[in-house]
Amino acid sequence: MIEEANISTKLVRRELSKASKIVRMWHVLIRYKYLYLMLVPGLLYIAIFHYAPMFGLVIAFQDYQVFKGVMGSKFNGLDNFIFLFQSPQFITAVKNTFIISAYKVVIGFPVPILLALLINEVRLTMFKRCVQTILYLPHFLSWIVMSGLLINFLSEQGPVNQLIKLLGGKAIFFFSEEKYFRSILVISDIWKEMGWNAIIYLAALTAVSSELYEAAKMDGATRMQCMMKISLPGIMPIIMIMLLLKMGSILNVGFEQVFNLYNPLLYGVGDIIDTYVYRIGFVDNKFHISAAAGMFKSIVACIMVVTTYYFMNKVEDNR
């Protein structure tokens, strides 16, 4: 009887705890109702444009015919995926995507961090604002404009080749030779986005306590030591979050950038999954193959996020 009473008491307490949580939840919702209402447009956007189209992934398992539609097309199992992995063009696109992404992560990811640390050390307010404005501007230019600038700068008659000729060299056909294309992609991406990406780290640096810097200066620390021992560790959580997000989009090399810069001569080193999906879907009208390629890309991105999150937790546990 005593055991039954204890069990019933525990059940009652559990139910009361659930009820109290529900009450607290409704209290918070009512108290901050206007803030939650502000979330509605964003949630609707995600639901309509990100989750609703996921129904279309079914065509990745179909021999999709446009005039028959999703409901009328026949299912063919994994034939579309088998076709992809037997296609040399797709294998080349996957390889190029990983290589270019690796370059952008290894070379491009640290640049905004270094830039933010350097800007944070500038003491002249006017000079600091001018530098930030100049570095932010390229972000607001579309890749169509940026591609036009790059093509003109690196053309045979462009300023870069003119300078090479003045120094006694021969003109380089940058957009005809494969060995230059990946470097152009990485450098132009860094140039365009480094100022904008540095904003997050600059915002994180404002949260680092000024007392730490004052204490370090009292102990005789140099500005470089303050940067490495206080500023960098202070923004390390933000760096890890940004790295996690970067790894989640590691296969998003930049369709607009590549599409506006490459040509058939550069397919061997510049063709990526996104451009392959575009050609196979909108040029060859094989929508089921492009859907399968897109699904493969999403699965790999999900695996990368989970793996990166796991290793980050391991690093945090060992700190």
Side-chain angles (χ1 to χ4, degrees), residues 135-151:
L135 292 173
Y136 296 164
L137 282 177
H139 170 78
F140 298 100
L141 298 177
S142 69
W143 272 114
I144 296 175
V145 175
M146 292 290 290
S147 300
L149 291 173
L150 287 170
I151 290 169

Side-chain angles (χ1 to χ4, degrees), residues 78-264:
L78 299 175
D79 288 352
N80 296 333
F81 294 93
I82 294 171
F83 172 84
L84 281 177
F85 292 113
Q86 290 178 346
S87 170
Q89 292 85 0
F90 181 71
I91 300 300
T92 300
V94 172
K95 182 184 73 173
N96 291 336
T97 301
F98 276 105
I99 291 173
I100 296 172
S101 293
Y103 285 163
K104 287 188 176 182
V105 171
V106 174
I107 301 173
F109 184 77
V111 172
I113 301 170
L114 178 61
L115 182 62
L117 292 172
L118 293 175
I119 292 175
N120 188 59
E121 293 300 317
V122 176
R123 293 293 176 259
L124 296 175
T125 305
M126 185 60 67
F127 177 73
K128 184 176 182 179
R129 289 177 179 175
C130 291
V131 170
Q132 287 177 293
T133 302
I134 293 169
L135 292 173
Y136 296 164
L137 282 177
H139 170 78
F140 298 100
L141 298 177
S142 69
W143 272 114
I144 296 175
V145 175
M146 292 290 290
S147 300
L149 291 173
L150 287 170
I151 290 169
N152 287 326
F153 271 112
L154 301 176
S155 65
E156 185 181 1
Q157 302 300 324
V160 175
N161 271 317
Q162 292 299 322
L163 179 61
I164 292 172
K165 290 177 182 178
L166 285 174
L167 296 175
K170 294 182 179 180
I172 299 173
F173 299 94
F174 289 99
F175 291 100
S176 299
E177 299 183 31
E178 292 184 345
K179 60 182 178 180
Y180 299 113
F181 187 65
R182 288 172 180 165
S183 299
I184 292 171
L185 289 179
V186 175
I187 294 171
S188 61
D189 184 71
I190 293 173
W191 173 38
K192 187 174 186 296
E193 299 296 341
M194 64 179 180
W196 183 258
N197 291 334
I199 293 175
I200 297 173
Y201 303 113
L202 284 169
L205 284 168
T206 60
V208 179
S209 177
S210 59
E211 295 178 357
L212 295 175
Y213 294 103
E214 293 173 2
K217 289 178 181 178
M218 291 289 290
D219 292 336
T222 62
R223 295 181 70 175
M224 179 61 72
Q225 289 173 331
C226 290
M227 184 191 299
M228 300 304 297
K229 300 295 184 180
I230 299 175
S231 300
L232 188 59
I235 62 173
M236 190 57 66
I238 301 299
I239 293 174
M240 297 184 72
I241 292 172
M242 296 303 295
L243 180 60
L244 178 63
L245 295 174
K246 186 71 175 178
M247 296 304 294
S249 59
I250 193 169
L251 297 184
N252 293 327
V253 179
F255 170 76
E256 292 182 2
Q257 181 191 19
V258 177
F259 184 75
N260 286 292
L261 288 174
Y262 84 151
N263 57 67

Side-chain angles (χ1 to χ4, degrees), residues 12-24:
V12 170
R13 287 177 179 175
R14 188 179 301 172
E15 293 298 324
L16 288 173
S17 177
K18 290 181 180 178
S20 63
K21 287 180 181 178
I22 293 172
V23 170
R24 286 198 299 270

